[in-house]
Amino acid sequence: MYRSIRRMQPQDRANVLEMMRVFYASPAVLSNGSEEIFKADFDNCINQCPYLEGYIFEEENTIQGYAMLAKSFSTEFGKPCIWVEDLYIKEPYRGLGLGSLFLRYVADKYPDAVLRLEVEAENQRAVHVYQKAGFEELPYTEMKK
């Protein structure tokens, strides 16, 4: 079986929006999002937005999940910063190494960037995957307005 990671395409819209609804309604995310935001995020992923990239995890034409990366610069670390904004794997495909595969893909694609993400402490399965990939908890609070 061949598992692939590929960029989102316009024909992925319905699948990605459905996965986003499930992901944002889960305890893995603090915000519930909205249809307007989901659609805007997807559109930015496929319309060459310089700040957002969208990916599909697929095996034998079966979509198993998606991810979105946001790009910025970290003055704290003095280099580009890649945020893993969304990393969602459909329930039947969890525990098969897709999350780890994608994190290696990102690290290989952006070897000179600092990689960051947010995770709910209660999401221990995801925390374990991230720690296994070398992510460490930062000792400060993030704020937003």
Side-chain angles (χ1 to χ4, degrees):
M1 292 187 207
Y2 177 70
R3 181 177 296 150
S4 69
I5 297 171
R6 64 169 175 81
R7 292 292 296 262
M8 285 180 188
Q9 301 295 319
Q11 63 269 22
D12 297 320
R13 185 180 188 86
N15 282 312
V16 171
L17 294 178
E18 181 56 32
M19 289 186 288
M20 291 180 81
R21 289 182 200 107
V22 173
F23 181 51
Y24 278 84
S26 78
V29 183
L30 280 179
S31 162
N32 286 338
S34 71
E35 281 298 309
E36 182 179 328
I37 292 171
F38 300 157
K39 290 174 183 176
D41 287 349
F42 180 81
D43 290 344
N44 280 308
C45 284
I46 64 165
N47 290 330
Q48 305 304 315
C49 173
Y51 307 110
L52 191 62
E53 295 178 358
Y55 294 89
I56 295 292
F57 312 138
E58 189 173 54
E59 186 170 355
E60 296 181 354
N61 296 319
T62 299
I63 293 177
Q64 299 176 330
Y66 82 97
M68 291 184 185
L69 300 179
K71 301 175 187 179
S72 67
F73 189 89
S74 172
T75 57
E76 179 180 358
F77 297 103
K79 55 182 159 180
C81 181
I82 303 298
W83 282 88
V84 179
E85 286 289 338
D86 289 16
L87 177 51
Y88 174 77
I89 299 166
K90 292 179 180 181
E91 186 67 40
Y93 308 106
R94 294 180 187 164
L96 301 177
L98 280 170
S100 296
L101 179 70
F102 182 69
L103 295 172
R104 281 192 305 274
Y105 174 89
V106 174
D108 290 345
K109 183 173 181 174
Y110 295 103
D112 298 323
V114 62
L115 305 180
R116 295 185 75 168
L117 54 81
E118 296 173 355
V119 61
E120 293 299 313
E122 298 82 21
N123 192 353
Q124 283 300 300
R125 193 174 193 174
V127 169
H128 175 73
V129 170
Y130 301 145
Q131 288 173 332
K132 194 170 88 174
F135 285 81
E136 301 171 358
E137 187 174 335
L138 293 173
Y140 51 82
T141 301
E142 183 172 328
M143 300 172 74
K144 75 169 188 107
K145 180 177 175 183

